[in-house]
Amino acid sequence: QFMPDVDEAIEAARDAGFDAIEWAVRPGGHIPPEKVKTLLPVVVGKTRKAGLTVEMIITGLQDAQAPYAEDILSTAQSLGIRHYRNSNYYMYDYSRPLVPQIEALTPRMASLIALNKRYNTLLCYHTHSGHGMIGGNVWDIWTAQRPLDPATIGLNFDSGHTFIRTGSGWG
């Protein structure tokens, strides 16, 4: 995302030896959500023409009520992109009990299941290490996802972020 020009980003990724690009379809990303229907097909076409694949997109979707959720997932499906991850992280409010906050996530994530089934997509919640972010410890986001259908909701497990958040366990 530090390269806002799509053509420049594709060239840099290809020259660096990458075989895929994960485009950001979120506010401040390469593809603003309100332009996903027209812009994502163009960007994915350029990416594929350069010999790279697009297996996943990054979104800000926390639940089905998010603006443009349906447009994002239907467009992804039309391009053969099945996986998306959420980068609009759920956050702890440390002034309140933590367990009810984790439990409250289950229905929010569950609201995406109908869309995921309709568009054959899979939300892969990214485990991130930032302060106050739910998911960096993994157990917390797994606890919220546990009762949900794993065919439609999963984890984008980032071992680097998990290590930062939890340490090595040795010492």
Side-chain angles (χ1 to χ4, degrees):
Q1 228 172 248
F2 62 89
M3 297 180 117
D5 181 84
V6 167
D7 295 316
E8 190 178 326
I10 291 169
E11 184 179 340
R14 188 185 60 228
D15 291 349
F18 291 107
D19 59 4
I21 294 179
E22 183 181 81
W23 292 108
V25 182
R26 62 181 176 197
H30 289 94
I31 297 110
E34 65 273 14
K35 295 183 179 180
V36 68
K37 286 181 158 189
T38 57
L39 200 52
L40 187 60
V42 171
V43 170
V44 169
K46 287 181 176 189
T47 305
R48 291 176 176 160
K49 186 175 181 183
L52 304 173
T53 63
V54 180
E55 302 294 329
M56 179 182 279
I57 57 173
I58 308 166
T59 74
L61 303 180
Q62 287 190 329
D63 52 44
Q65 290 69 45
Y68 306 102
E70 188 118 14
D71 290 348
I72 291 168
L73 298 182
S74 67
T75 305
Q77 179 204 37
S78 75
L79 297 167
I81 301 167
R82 182 166 185 264
H83 300 89
Y84 68 99
R85 67 180 174 104
N86 172 11
S87 65
N88 188 13
Y89 302 103
Y90 303 116
M91 303 295 288
Y92 282 116
D93 176 350
Y94 289 122
S95 69
R96 296 181 16 235
L98 301 183
V99 172
Q101 292 179 63
I102 295 166
E103 291 170 345
L105 293 180
T106 302
R108 290 186 71 191
M109 288 188 285
S111 74
L112 287 163
I113 289 176
L115 287 176
N116 288 341
K117 285 182 177 179
R118 184 177 311 135
Y119 296 112
N120 191 31
T121 52
L122 174 68
L123 166 63
C124 304
Y125 189 88
H126 186 236
T127 55
H128 205 278
S129 62
H131 178 71
M133 291 182 177
I134 296 174
N137 292 321
V138 182
W139 68 265
D140 49 2
I141 198 68
W142 177 80
T143 300
Q145 288 183 350
R146 189 172 176 204
L148 303 177
D149 181 359
T152 59
I153 305 256
L155 291 177
N156 176 223
F157 182 75
D158 189 318
S159 60
H161 280 289
T162 302
F163 181 82
I164 289 167
R165 183 69 179 263
T166 62
S168 69
W170 303 98

